[in-house]
């Protein structure tokens, strides 16, 4: 926000330089991003008077002038081609060696044979315009008043000896989005009284009972003030107002329109003036827009609205986009004779959503998005009415409206003790100093036996408790007085990664070694993404946390599973011609503990795998899981399962013991068909997804892995060809082999056979079983004994040794 130094001085007797004030503001928590010096680039430019002039020989437009610049020389000869020169004119004179904005250097030089000792300047050459200084836009020299002192520095004469602070206002301090708001802070920092702008006015016009104002959406517009002004007399604003607006980057339009912009800058209250002759039925209604309703704003842009947008309407049509911009059909014009001022408090989230959805922003919407308090609404309207009377551009009538949703006009109260505030700060601030600081910031402190009742200013809606009071105290007392200390429960550590972080890093590295690339997606998606995965309406994944202020409808809920996000990444790659790849993502999913949400959700770390391409298959993902199991020192078993978005015949659930870790499989054919990917049909038909509860997986692992030396003894291996029913799962056989003898270290399937000799409904599975005794070389007799135990255990599954 741009804050002119000269404007601040109208409210506070500032007795420090701009550089010192910049440091003061920074120490109070306000970052001055830039201090713009208006005189930058201007030097040795003074006031001079033309004492004589004559036409220069051999030219038809140049004149040779003698200029009196006081102490800088009273007979300087300067040649000029300006059309508006005359004897006695007082003008800016750039002396020999002077500089002008843009890096222009002025030197003595000959012009058509006449030595010119400088240059007389126009307003444009000094970086001025009519709003900053009258006459600056004239073609020719800038003519100064006759009583301007000769030899005076032109920057002081024209007001260029000023600077503008470009201040970054944080979102928690909307009260400082104005010149007055910053003046309050400057007054407190310098311990100076604040001079409030005049807000008094008297009724000079007659009432009009035909005007009607109502609010039909009090949740989006808790306060709406309006006041009728008659006999409007549009004209040019006074120089002081035009200058203030220009310094803040706004151009002057007319006195009435300038008043609304002036109040926006000075008080921080956006306001609008409706031309009542253009308001249908002389009626104003604040309501939600109807679906498909249209409005053309002041910048001549047309928008189609929805019920999510708040509009201000007359009896026939919308006349303003609430909090954003007025309508073209009700704006002030040169022939306006009666107007209705509005000042309102709009819900900041509604203004933000409307501004983003329509791609329309303004100075008003920027302020409403951070928040405008009720006090500013009242002060802003009164200030505007005072300026109407001061500039004599209308008659104020007694017809006014105050539509409120029942909000309290009282100041909020915070109860605290000095000890509580000091505990937050970690230092001892004297009570008297603490109280004096709060009172400088317009807080009222009542001491009742050591317990303070603090009345908060109405414009400080950000102050809710004693920690906020502590913040106010320390930023005025000085952050440099804070003493660095450890937290109460802090401890010195060796640093580095903890066990969980190391394990996550190991997992990622293993997946990268398997040919996977890490993906990172947003934590939000929409119900449409769950629809894409054919998630049933009663599925737990549908129990998602809605976002109150979503960036868009496509990011409206917190994700409960990762698969939709992974599938969208795969589809995006396929559409861009990347026909094969392996991806993984390790991120949180957000499971509500109860709905409606009354406590933070369960954030579960989840691992999602995705493989696509003509060479990928079911065992790509299974092989990755086996590598993970080996890394974690656990064993997985697999069971048939149905998952809504996976192929029913190519899906397996993964278990570690009795704990279900997740599931994986091929993307269901009907979902694949709906993706409509034409780049590589074969790749699109070969998509595999897996989603696993990483937290459950790590819980199954036996703590941090420790190094174990490799045994010097070779394992004993036996090949077993087994016959069983088709219904018996390979995983169940493998589990039985491992459970039969603790000396079994590895079981590997190497052959599957089906044939008539085995019998109908039978299959043969051949395994290599590795046996290890640990502390000695296993003998053949020991290995044979282990095989007998294995066959005995397999008999429980009706599995026999193939003859």
């Amino acid at each position: 926000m741009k804050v002119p130094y000269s404007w601040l001085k109208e409210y506070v007797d500032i007795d420090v330089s701009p550089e010192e004030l910049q440091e003061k503001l920074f120490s109070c928590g306000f970052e001055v991003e830039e201090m713009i010096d208006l005189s930058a680039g201007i030097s040795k430019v003074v006031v001079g008077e033309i004492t004589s002039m004559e036409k220069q020989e051999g030219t038809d437009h140049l004149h040779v002038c003698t200029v009196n610049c006081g102490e800088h020389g009273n007979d300087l000869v300067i040649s000029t081609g300006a059309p508006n020169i005359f004897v006695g004119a007082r003008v800016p004179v750039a002396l020999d060696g002077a500089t002008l904005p843009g890096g222009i250097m002025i030197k003595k030089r000959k012009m058509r044979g006449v030595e010119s000792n400088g240059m007389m300047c126009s307003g444009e050459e000094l970086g001025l315009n009519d709003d900053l200084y009258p006459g600056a836009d004239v073609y020719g020299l800038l003519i100064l008043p006759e009583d301007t002192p000769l030899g005076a520095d032109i920057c002081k004469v024209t007001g260029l000896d000023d600077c503008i602070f470009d201040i970054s206002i944080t979102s928690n301090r909307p009260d400082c989005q104005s010149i007055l708001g910053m003046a309050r802070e400057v007054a407190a920092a310098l311990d100076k009284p604040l001079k409030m702008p005049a807000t008094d006015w008297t009724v000079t016009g007659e009432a009009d009972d035909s005007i009607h104002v109502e609010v039909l959406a009090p949740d989006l517009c808790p306060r709406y003030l309006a006041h009728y002004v008659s006999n409007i007399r549009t004209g040019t604003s006074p120089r002081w107002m035009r200058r203030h607006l220009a310094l803040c980057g706004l151009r002057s339009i007319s006195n009435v329109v300038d008043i609304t912009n002036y109040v926006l800058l000075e008080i921080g209250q956006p306001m609008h003036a409706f031309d009542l002759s253009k308001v249908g039925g002389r009626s104003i209604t604040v309501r939600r827009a109807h679906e498909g309703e249209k409005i053309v704003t002041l910048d001549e842009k047309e928008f189609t609205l929805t019920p999510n947008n708040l509009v201000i309407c007359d009896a026939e049509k919308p006349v303003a986009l609430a909090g954003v911009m007025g309508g073209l059909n009700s704006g002030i014009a040169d022939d306006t004779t009666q107007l209705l001022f509005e000042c309102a408090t709009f819900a900041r989230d509604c203004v933000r959503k409307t501004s983003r959805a329509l791609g329309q922003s303004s100075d008003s919407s920027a302020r409403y998005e951070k928040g405008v308090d009720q006090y500013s609404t009242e002060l802003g309207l009164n200030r505007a009415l005072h300026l109407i009377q001061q500039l004599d551009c209308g008659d104020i009538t007694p017809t006014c409206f105050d539509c409120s949703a029942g909000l309290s006009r009282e100041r909020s109260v915070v109860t605290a003790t000095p000890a509580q505030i000091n505990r937050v700060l970690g230092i001892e601030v004297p009570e008297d100093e603490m109280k004096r600081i709060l009172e400088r910031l317009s807080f009222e402190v009542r001491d009742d036996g050591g317990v303070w009742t603090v009345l908060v200013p109405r414009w400080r809606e950000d102050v809710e408790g004693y920690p906020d009071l502590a913040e106010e105290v320390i930023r005025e007392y000085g952050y440099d007085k804070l003493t660095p200390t450890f937290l109460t429960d802090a401890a010195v550590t060796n640093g580095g990664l903890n066990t969980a972080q190391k394990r996550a890093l190991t997992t990622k590295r293993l997946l990268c070694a398997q040919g996977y690339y890490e993906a990172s997606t947003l934590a939000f998606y929409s119900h449409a993404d769950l629809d894409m995965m054919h998630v049933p309406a009663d599925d737990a994944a549908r129990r998602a946390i809605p976002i109150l202020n979503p960036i868009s409808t496509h990011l409206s809920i917190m994700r409960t599973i990762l698969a939709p996000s992974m599938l969208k990444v795969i589809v995006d790659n396929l559409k861009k011609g990347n026909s094969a790849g392996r991806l993984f993502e390790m991120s949180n999913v957000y499971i509500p503990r109860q709905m409606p949400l009354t406590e933070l959700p369960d954030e579960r770390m989840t691992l999602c795998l995705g493989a696509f391409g003509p060479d990928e298959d079911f065992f790509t993902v299974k092989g990755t899981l086996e590598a993970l199991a080996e890394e974690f020192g656990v064993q997985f078993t697999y069971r048939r399962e149905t998952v809504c978005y996976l192929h029913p015949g190519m899906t397996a659930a993964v278990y570690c013991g009795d704990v279900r870790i997740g599931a994986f499989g091929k993307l269901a054919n009907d979902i694949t068909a709906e993706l409509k990917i034409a780049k590589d049909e074969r790749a699109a038909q070969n998509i595999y997804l897996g989603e696993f509860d990483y937290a459950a997986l790590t819980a199954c692992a036996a703590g941090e892995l420790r190094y174990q030396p490799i045994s010097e003894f070779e394992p004993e291996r036996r090949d077993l060809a087994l016959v069983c029913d088709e219904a018996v799962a390979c995983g169940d056989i493998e589990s039985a082999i491992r459970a039969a003898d603790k000396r079994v270290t590895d079981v590997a399937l190497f052959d599957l056979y089906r044939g008539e000799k085995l019998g109908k409904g039978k299959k043969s599975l051949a395994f290599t079983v590795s046996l290890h005794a640990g502390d000695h070389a296993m003998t053949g007799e020991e290995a044979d004994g282990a095989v007998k135990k294995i066959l005995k255990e397999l008999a429980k599954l009706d599995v026999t040794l193939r003859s």
Side-chain angles (χ1 to χ4, degrees):
M1 187 185 74
K2 289 182 169 57
V3 180
Y5 180 66
S6 56
W7 201 350
L8 281 176
K9 292 175 73 173
E10 295 181 16
Y11 307 105
V12 184
D13 292 327
I14 300 175
D15 55 1
V16 297
S17 68
E19 291 74 19
E20 291 175 295
L21 182 59
Q22 180 182 10
E23 290 297 323
K24 288 277 187 182
L25 290 172
F26 184 77
S27 67
C28 293
F30 296 95
E31 180 186 359
V32 179
E33 295 182 335
E34 183 182 9
M35 191 173 74
I36 305 166
D37 184 358
L38 298 184
S39 66
I42 301 177
S43 66
K44 296 186 70 175
V45 182
V46 300
V47 177
E49 180 182 4
I50 301 174
T51 56
S52 68
M53 56 178 284
E54 60 182 27
K55 204 158 188 180
Q56 189 169 334
E57 293 183 9
T59 71
D60 58 354
H61 69 285
L62 293 179
H63 288 80
V64 178
C65 303
T66 303
V67 183
N68 179 8
C69 293
E71 61 182 290
H72 301 285
N74 56 15
D75 56 355
L76 298 177
V77 176
I78 299 176
S79 181
T80 180
N84 62 335
I85 61 170
F86 58 90
V87 174
R90 299 205 171 187
V91 297
V93 177
L95 304 173
D96 180 31
T99 58
L100 296 176
I104 299 173
M105 179 81 70
I106 304 301
K107 293 286 188 181
K108 286 183 182 181
R109 68 188 185 96
K110 285 189 176 183
M111 295 182 64
R112 300 291 181 91
V114 175
E115 186 172 61
S116 182
N117 295 280
M119 182 181 83
M120 291 180 280
C121 304
S122 67
E124 183 181 0
E125 288 167 332
L126 295 172
L128 295 170
N129 58 36
D130 257 355
D131 287 340
L132 289 173
Y133 195 85
D137 286 345
V138 171
Y139 177 68
L141 302 180
L142 175 62
I143 306 300
L144 304 171
E146 295 179 359
D147 58 351
T148 308
L150 295 177
D153 187 342
I154 196 65
C155 291
K156 293 182 179 179
V157 171
T158 58
L160 288 172
D161 60 335
D162 198 359
C163 66
I164 300 172
F165 300 109
D166 192 352
I167 303 175
S168 174
I169 306 298
T170 54
S171 58
N172 68 316
R173 292 301 306 273
D175 60 295
C176 292
Q177 300 180 104
S178 63
I179 307 298
L180 178 61
M182 289 309 306
R184 291 193 193 104
E185 295 297 323
V186 170
L190 300 179
D191 198 8
K192 300 278 188 179
L194 176 69
K195 304 172 189 175
M196 286 291 292
T199 55
D200 58 300
W201 51 270
T202 57
V203 174
T204 57
E206 297 181 357
D208 187 338
D209 296 333
S210 67
I211 302 172
H212 176 70
V213 176
E214 66 175 337
V215 176
L216 299 182
D219 55 325
L220 303 182
C221 179
R223 189 86 185 273
Y224 191 88
L225 305 180
H227 206 114
Y228 170 51
V229 181
S230 62
N231 297 326
I232 297 301
R233 300 174 285 278
T234 58
T236 304
S237 299
R239 180 194 169 193
W240 59 267
M241 179 175 283
R242 299 203 315 272
R243 175 178 169 78
H244 283 161
L245 293 174
L247 289 175
C248 293
L250 297 181
R251 63 184 180 88
S252 174
I253 299 173
S254 68
N255 48 13
V256 176
V257 177
D258 288 353
I259 285 173
T260 62
N261 289 331
Y262 191 85
V263 171
L264 172 70
L265 296 173
E266 182 186 39
I267 309 299
Q269 173 61 52
M271 61 186 307
H272 185 64
F274 296 106
D275 185 338
L276 269 179
S277 65
K278 302 175 184 176
V279 174
R282 299 177 75 78
S283 171
I284 290 292
T285 302
V286 184
R287 61 167 172 80
R288 286 176 168 83
H290 300 316
E291 188 68 47
E293 205 165 22
K294 297 182 182 294
I295 186 173
V296 178
T297 51
L298 287 170
D299 57 358
E300 301 183 4
K301 295 180 182 178
E302 184 179 64
F303 298 99
T304 302
L305 309 177
T306 71
N308 293 327
N309 308 130
L310 186 69
V311 290
I312 302 166
C313 306
D314 61 13
E316 305 162 358
K317 61 192 179 300
V319 292
L321 203 52
V324 181
M325 191 174 289
L328 186 63
N329 54 14
S330 64
I332 301 299
D334 292 341
D335 59 350
T336 298
T337 59
Q338 50 184 332
L339 63 81
L340 188 71
F341 271 135
E342 72 150 25
C343 275
T345 303
F346 297 119
R348 65 187 73 181
D349 59 330
C350 176
V351 176
R352 182 172 60 251
K353 288 177 184 176
T354 296
S355 179
R356 289 185 178 180
L358 301 180
Q360 180 76 336
S361 61
S362 63
D363 290 338
S364 296
S365 66
R367 283 167 170 78
Y368 274 123
E369 286 180 26
K370 288 185 178 179
V372 174
D373 57 85
Q374 285 193 71
Y375 174 78
S376 296
T377 302
E378 299 167 8
L379 185 66
L381 183 57
N382 287 327
R383 179 59 171 161
L385 295 174
H386 171 86
L387 291 172
I388 285 284
Q389 210 150 58
Q390 181 180 345
L391 274 56
D392 191 27
C393 53
D395 295 334
I396 302 173
T397 73
T399 303
C400 59
F401 303 88
D402 186 351
C403 302
S404 172
L407 297 179
S408 173
R409 308 287 197 273
E410 301 297 323
R411 298 166 68 176
S412 60
V413 177
V414 174
T415 302
T417 65
Q420 283 178 317
I421 295 175
N422 280 329
R423 269 200 303 273
V424 172
L425 300 177
I427 59 174
E428 291 294 323
V429 180
E431 287 189 25
D432 292 343
E433 179 67 14
M434 197 183 296
K435 184 177 180 181
R436 195 167 68 86
I437 288 172
L438 291 173
E439 289 174 343
R440 277 185 1 222
L441 292 167
S442 302
F443 292 83
E444 184 179 337
V445 182
R446 299 172 184 172
D447 189 350
D448 184 12
V451 177
W452 287 2
T453 300
V454 182
L455 274 65
V456 181
R458 288 182 62 197
W459 58 85
R460 291 301 304 274
E461 294 182 348
D462 58 303
V463 177
E464 299 176 347
Y466 70 86
D468 297 317
L469 296 180
E471 182 181 359
E472 295 301 301
V473 169
I474 195 59
R475 66 188 188 86
E476 295 293 333
Y477 188 63
Y479 290 107
D480 57 323
K481 295 184 175 65
L482 290 175
T483 304
T485 57
F486 268 123
L487 295 172
T488 306
D489 299 325
V492 178
T493 66
N494 291 328
L497 302 178
N498 59 31
T499 302
Q501 291 169 329
K502 289 178 181 177
R503 181 165 283 165
L505 186 59
T506 299
T507 302
K508 291 183 178 182
R509 286 175 174 167
L510 183 145
L511 292 171
C512 290
Q514 295 278 326
Y516 288 80
Y517 290 89
E518 184 172 10
S520 181
T521 61
L522 294 176
F524 322 107
Y525 47 52
S526 68
H527 288 290
D529 294 309
L530 296 175
D531 294 340
M532 174 183 69
M533 306 299 289
H534 293 190
V535 177
D538 59 349
D539 195 279
R542 290 281 187 181
R543 196 164 169 263
I545 302 167
I547 307 299
L548 291 178
N549 302 312
I551 298 173
S552 75
T553 55
H554 302 296
L555 301 170
S556 58
I557 58 173
M558 303 291 289
R559 63 185 177 193
T560 52
I561 56 175
L562 292 182
S565 300
M566 178 60 73
L567 180 57
K568 288 172 75 174
V569 174
I570 291 174
V571 170
D572 189 51
N573 274 275
L574 288 171
K575 287 182 177 179
K576 291 178 179 177
N578 299 324
S579 59
R582 297 180 183 180
L583 300 167
F584 78 90
E585 180 174 12
M586 283 180 62
S587 298
N588 285 334
V589 295
Y590 304 88
I591 311 301
R593 302 178 194 276
Q594 58 184 21
M595 294 293 278
L597 203 64
T598 58
E599 57 180 322
L600 293 175
D602 179 19
E603 298 186 26
R604 299 283 291 181
M605 181 61 73
T606 302
L607 171 64
C608 188
L609 301 179
F612 62 99
D615 298 327
E616 304 296 348
D617 58 22
F618 180 87
F619 296 100
T620 298
V621 182
K622 185 175 183 293
T624 303
L625 293 174
E626 292 299 322
L628 275 175
E630 185 176 353
E631 182 65 38
F632 278 82
V634 297
Q635 300 212 350
F636 291 153
T637 56
Y638 305 92
R639 303 177 189 174
R640 295 180 184 274
E641 189 171 287
T642 300
V643 177
C644 60
Y645 55 85
L646 297 179
H647 191 293
M650 299 184 70
T651 301
V654 183
Y655 284 80
C656 184
D658 295 329
V659 179
R660 184 183 184 277
I661 302 300
F664 71 98
K666 185 179 181 181
L667 186 65
N669 290 339
D670 50 351
I671 298 178
T672 303
E674 292 170 3
L675 296 178
K676 298 179 180 178
I677 303 168
K679 286 278 185 181
D680 189 333
E681 192 65 29
R682 190 178 168 208
Q685 294 293 332
N686 225 29
I687 298 174
Y688 296 86
L689 297 174
E691 184 155 338
F692 313 96
D693 188 336
Y694 183 78
L697 172 60
T698 54
C700 292
E704 188 172 0
L705 298 180
R706 297 289 182 180
Y707 168 76
Q708 289 184 347
I710 298 174
S711 175
E712 58 182 299
F713 305 107
E714 282 287 328
E716 191 74 14
R717 293 183 177 87
R718 292 289 187 273
D719 290 341
L720 301 178
L722 306 172
V723 178
C724 62
D725 292 334
E726 283 282 4
V728 179
C730 175
D732 292 339
I733 295 175
E734 183 178 334
S735 297
I737 294 173
R738 291 183 182 276
D741 196 302
K742 64 180 181 180
R743 292 171 292 182
V744 175
T745 58
D746 189 37
V747 180
L749 175 71
F750 68 87
D751 184 50
L752 170 62
Y753 171 74
R754 293 182 177 90
E756 294 181 1
K757 294 182 179 180
L758 294 178
K760 188 177 181 180
K762 296 289 186 177
K763 62 182 177 182
S764 174
L765 300 172
F767 296 89
T768 295
V769 180
S770 297
L771 301 161
H772 204 291
D775 57 352
H776 65 276
M778 181 171 256
T779 64
E781 292 78 7
E782 288 176 313
D784 293 340
V787 168
K788 289 180 181 179
K789 289 183 180 180
I790 291 171
L791 294 175
K792 184 177 180 180
E793 186 68 26
L794 290 174
K796 298 177 182 178
L797 299 176
D798 199 19
V799 177
T800 61
L801 194 64
R802 181 179 173 185
S803 57

